[in-house]
Amino acid sequence: MHQLMAVPSCALQVNGSFQTHFISESFNHLKTSLSSAAKPLFKELQQLPIKKVNNVSETMKNTSGKILDALVNSMFKFVDQPLLPSQKNFAPVEEIGSLVEINCTEGEIPPDFAEGVYIRNGNNPLFGGLKSAVSIFGQSHHSWVDGEGMLHAVYFKKDQNGRWIISYKNRYVETETFKLEKHVHNKPCFLPVLQGDASAVLAALLLNGLRFGAVNKYFSNTNVFEHSGRVYSVTENYLPQEVDISTLETLSDWDVNGAWDRPFTGHPKKAPSSGELVIMGTDAKKPYYVLGVISADGKKLHKADLKFKRSVLSHDIGVTQKYNVIIDHPLTVDIQRLAMGGQLMKYEKEGFARIGVMPRYGDAESVKWFEVQTSCTFHILNCFEEGDEVVVRGCRALSSLIPGPDGDVGFNNKFEWFSKGFNFAHHTKDVSSADDIFAEPGYFFSRVYEWRLNMVSGEVEEKNLTGTEFSMEFPFINDQVTGLKHKYGYTQVVDSMASSTCGMGKFGSLAKLYLEESYATTSAEGKCEELIKVEYHKFEENNFCNGSVFVARHGGKGTEEDDGWIVTFVHNEETDVTQVHVIDTSRFGSEAIAKLTLPQRVPYGFHGTFVSMPSQS
């Protein structure tokens, strides 16, 4: 299927040091591509001082900023992107305010469930929803992954008598750009940059950089993670935001004591045994890909430029006992391509894909690269070492939903583009290479996949683990086996009919993967495949989940990897009510053991986590 990560916002990843270089280069590209009617504006803009702005709010204190504001306000019009009735739960909600206590509508929370916070991130656009910007340069558009981050948290706590007290709260992640638009201007300011006419996107990047010192907003809408006792909200294009887990207040950027000065992955990974946090940051200029290892106490950083020759959107990273695992696939960011009238971000189906295996504290020269079949892998299920091999498992597709349809399809035809890609019911053949994509529907179909990388011989064995009946994404595991050989995994399962009708991804069930139980089958093309056993937990009709996580049993025997529960947000589109479901993984196909009805709906979002708390809290 698709890569709904989110990636969430995966908009242009550009750090502060890039601003002056980018603005200067953009002038040259823009002057050759814009109409004569636009040139007087940019002749005037060239006379304005260009400088790096450390705090985006400070830009508004000078006269140049006010002049630019007036020019943009007169030349650009923000237009709401309409939502279909079937897309209703992609619309934003308001902050609910104070913590609200909730009860079990059905069932009950078991006594050995862990005390803690189930918290999920997602895009929740300010000012009514996603926008397009219309001007003499054409149109630029927010992508479906854009929108300010909003945290939704469910608190599980026991009173002195052992009775569960459960409560809910939501709150925006207040980055610097959020504060600028919400509290200073109280209206949209940043022009969309990820999709649209090339001249309009160039103009948006340039004007955002001149006005705010940032070419795009810091959405912080993709994931939530914990390290060294602190909780962070994150997305690809900026630093993590530390969050107070009790109040959801945004505290500050996290730059590892000033040692990390670039974008930060949406999926950092804890190394087994050591507790080190393995991260990476991709950018639109060299160094394109930098890997980092943060100490368990969060104070020290090892950093390595991997000397990539292209800018890729690599959304995830893997770890094993000894290694870091790097995904390099052909989803690229290219300003030169944009200047020539193409897309800023594009999946290049003719491009190469490779997986790198790097010693934990290695450098570019120590990475062993393995060429693999061209594909797009946003999310890794897990990685581990087995004999001479490093085994990598993830959700693999033959195209990318990010950023959206290219210029040949056009923004106005994006619904057809999404629907055709989601229409898996008509996916009649087992497409195995990039040459075949777009030849027929279902080109976003995502299967759980395995690569076996032999560190001695350099050989690669790769195969599908799941079939073509259901597309799977947003994989997750019991965090206790991250980087280790494991028996089980879990994914969200796409409802192909609902997704095709909606033109956006909806997940109508969950899957439990039995990775050590397999069976032989024959594909539609007559090929013999060995696939793993899969068990499903299906929701009621018109009910869809998001933000699913595994919660291990607290104080139990702890001997089984799947001893615990899956917690997920489930929205009923008939009643417009959102619940939290708690599903016993030992009775995976059965009804949820507990359902908690929330005081307001929760829009479909991206990734979450469960942060355990000590019992005495």
Side-chain angles (χ1 to χ4, degrees):
M1 184 284 200
H2 60 303
Q3 296 78 344
L4 279 177
M5 9 284 144
V7 230
S9 171
C10 301
L12 181 63
Q13 301 126 58
V14 181
N15 63 22
S17 63
F18 185 39
Q19 304 303 327
T20 301
H21 166 84
F22 172 77
I23 292 168
S24 175
E25 289 297 312
S26 295
F27 273 126
N28 296 328
H29 297 317
L30 206 55
K31 285 196 297 183
T32 60
S33 61
L34 298 181
S35 66
S36 58
K39 290 180 181 178
L41 165 67
F42 285 89
K43 183 177 181 181
E44 183 174 355
L45 291 182
Q46 281 183 287
Q47 309 306 314
L48 296 174
I50 299 172
K51 63 178 182 178
K52 177 182 175 182
V53 180
N54 292 321
N55 185 323
V56 293
S57 300
E58 292 177 4
T59 308
M60 309 314 300
K61 296 180 182 179
N62 58 62
T63 303
S64 298
K66 293 178 181 179
I67 294 173
L68 284 167
D69 282 348
L71 288 170
V72 170
N73 290 338
S74 65
M75 296 181 63
F76 290 82
K77 180 181 179 181
F78 286 96
V79 179
D80 287 325
Q81 295 180 17
L83 286 176
L84 299 171
S86 59
Q87 298 170 334
K88 181 178 179 181
N89 199 45
F90 290 95
V93 295
E94 298 294 326
E95 292 181 330
I96 199 167
S98 302
L99 200 66
V100 176
E101 188 168 334
I102 57 178
N103 298 308
C104 281
T105 309
E106 299 179 31
E108 60 183 15
I109 304 299
D112 49 359
F113 190 84
E115 289 190 89
V117 184
Y118 167 45
I119 181 169
R120 196 222 70 194
N121 209 342
N123 54 344
N124 199 81
L126 280 169
F127 312 116
L130 298 176
K131 309 291 183 187
S132 296
V134 183
S135 71
I136 59 174
F137 310 119
Q139 297 186 31
S140 63
H141 315 283
H142 282 141
S143 168
W144 61 273
V145 297
D146 289 333
E148 283 68 22
M150 176 174 278
L151 302 174
H152 299 266
V154 179
Y155 298 83
F156 294 84
K157 185 178 180 179
K158 290 180 179 178
D159 64 15
Q160 293 180 342
N161 297 317
R163 183 179 69 90
W164 283 108
I165 300 174
I166 307 169
S167 51
Y168 165 81
K169 184 178 179 63
N170 69 338
R171 190 165 181 172
Y172 274 111
V173 183
E174 297 199 8
T175 65
E176 283 295 320
T177 59
F178 174 94
K179 295 173 185 176
L180 177 65
E181 285 201 326
K182 177 67 174 177
H183 302 309
V184 177
H185 289 277
N186 197 28
K187 66 177 183 180
C189 296
F190 279 82
L191 300 169
V193 301
L194 199 54
Q195 288 182 284
D197 301 318
S199 294
V201 173
L202 271 171
L205 290 165
L206 175 60
L207 290 169
N208 287 344
L210 283 169
R211 296 170 75 200
F212 310 120
V215 297
N216 199 15
K217 289 193 282 189
Y218 307 144
F219 289 115
S220 198
N221 67 12
T222 305
N223 201 1
V224 188
F225 69 94
E226 178 274 334
H227 186 62
S228 188
R230 299 174 184 266
V231 176
Y232 303 93
S233 169
V234 71
T235 202
E236 258 80 9
N237 71 338
Y238 193 57
L239 297 169
Q241 308 289 296
E242 185 180 352
V243 174
D244 184 316
I245 193 64
S246 299
T247 65
L248 302 187
E249 177 187 1
T250 305
L251 302 177
S252 62
D253 298 346
W254 184 42
D255 60 7
V256 196
N257 296 323
W260 189 262
D261 60 354
R262 58 186 294 109
F264 193 104
T265 179
H267 290 280
K269 293 290 170 60
K270 286 277 184 74
S273 304
S274 71
E276 297 157 314
L277 191 70
V278 178
I279 66 172
M280 54 86 172
T282 60
D283 210 334
K285 69 174 287 284
K286 292 182 178 180
Y288 293 127
Y289 189 116
V290 175
L291 184 141
V293 182
I294 302 174
S295 60
D297 61 8
K299 297 179 180 180
K300 298 177 183 178
L301 173 69
H302 167 78
K303 191 162 57 172
D305 172 11
L306 298 194
K307 303 189 186 304
F308 275 34
K309 295 182 179 180
R310 61 181 181 178
S311 174
V312 300
L313 175 58
S314 188
H315 182 63
D316 206 345
I317 192 167
V319 293
T320 71
Q321 285 276 21
K322 297 187 297 186
Y323 300 112
N324 311 315
V325 178
I326 301 134
I327 300 293
D328 181 7
H329 56 195
L331 179 58
T332 63
V333 176
D334 190 337
I335 294 171
Q336 295 290 337
R337 181 174 59 215
L338 176 67
M340 297 298 291
Q343 286 181 287
L344 175 63
M345 184 183 295
K346 182 179 181 180
Y347 180 75
E348 299 178 305
K349 61 181 180 181
E350 312 85 5
F352 66 89
R354 59 182 185 166
I355 299 176
V357 180
M358 169 188 175
R360 180 78 72 237
Y361 283 86
D363 56 18
E365 286 67 37
S366 65
V367 181
K368 187 175 182 64
W369 288 105
F370 296 83
E371 299 292 328
V372 298
Q373 293 180 18
T374 298
S375 59
C376 190
T377 301
F378 272 106
H379 295 120
I380 293 172
L381 174 67
N382 199 18
C383 308
F384 59 92
E385 300 158 37
E386 189 171 45
D388 294 334
E389 295 178 325
V390 170
V391 181
V392 182
R393 292 167 174 164
C395 290
R396 174 187 181 270
L398 294 174
S399 186
S400 170
L401 271 174
I402 304 265
D406 61 24
D408 294 334
V409 177
F411 180 78
N412 293 330
N413 294 324
K414 67 175 181 177
F415 176 77
E416 180 181 354
W417 182 81
F418 273 101
S419 295
K420 186 177 179 182
F422 282 136
N423 196 354
F424 310 123
H426 297 102
H427 187 88
T428 57
K429 72 176 182 177
D430 180 16
V431 179
S432 59
S433 72
D435 294 335
D436 295 323
I437 67 172
F438 305 119
E440 47 181 85
Y443 38 79
F444 297 133
F445 198 99
S446 178
R447 301 171 71 176
V448 180
Y449 202 77
E450 180 180 273
W451 297 265
R452 286 186 169 267
L453 315 174
N454 193 301
M455 297 294 291
V456 176
S457 69
E459 295 179 349
V460 179
E461 292 183 10
E462 45 185 305
K463 65 177 182 178
N464 289 300
L465 296 181
T466 58
T468 56
E469 183 179 7
F470 296 109
S471 181
M472 302 181 185
E473 252 294 349
F474 286 82
F476 57 101
I477 57 174
N478 181 339
D479 286 342
Q480 296 173 3
V481 296
T482 298
L484 306 174
K485 187 174 181 180
H486 58 127
K487 297 179 181 179
Y488 306 101
Y490 308 89
T491 71
Q492 296 180 174
V493 180
V494 178
D495 185 316
S496 59
M497 184 63 70
S499 297
S500 296
T501 302
C502 174
M504 299 177 78
K506 292 182 179 179
F507 300 91
S509 55
L510 295 166
K512 181 178 181 180
L513 312 174
Y514 290 78
L515 295 158
E516 295 187 347
E517 298 183 38
S518 61
Y519 64 96
T521 186
T522 303
S523 71
E525 289 190 320
K527 295 180 181 178
C528 182
E529 288 188 310
E530 187 175 347
L531 305 179
I532 61 170
K533 174 185 172 182
V534 180
E535 185 180 7
Y536 296 96
H537 178 93
K538 297 181 179 180
F539 302 107
E540 295 179 6
E541 187 175 359
N542 293 321
N543 280 249
F544 306 100
C545 72
N546 67 107
S548 309
V549 299
F550 180 91
V551 180
R553 187 181 304 274
H554 175 72
K557 55 184 180 297
T559 56
E560 295 297 329
E561 179 188 321
D562 65 339
D563 187 14
W565 301 268
I566 289 176
V567 184
T568 186
F569 287 101
V570 179
H571 185 72
N572 185 323
E573 294 195 349
E574 296 290 337
T575 62
D576 206 27
V577 170
T578 302
Q579 295 182 321
V580 170
H581 287 199
V582 180
I583 300 156
D584 189 337
T585 52
S586 67
R587 296 185 290 114
F588 191 74
S590 302
E591 188 71 16
I593 63 169
K595 297 180 181 180
L596 311 166
T597 299
L598 301 177
Q600 72 173 23
R601 71 177 178 88
V602 175
Y604 301 129
F606 303 129
H607 301 283
T609 191
F610 189 90
V611 181
S612 296
M613 301 294 186
S615 299
Q616 60 268 28
S617 66

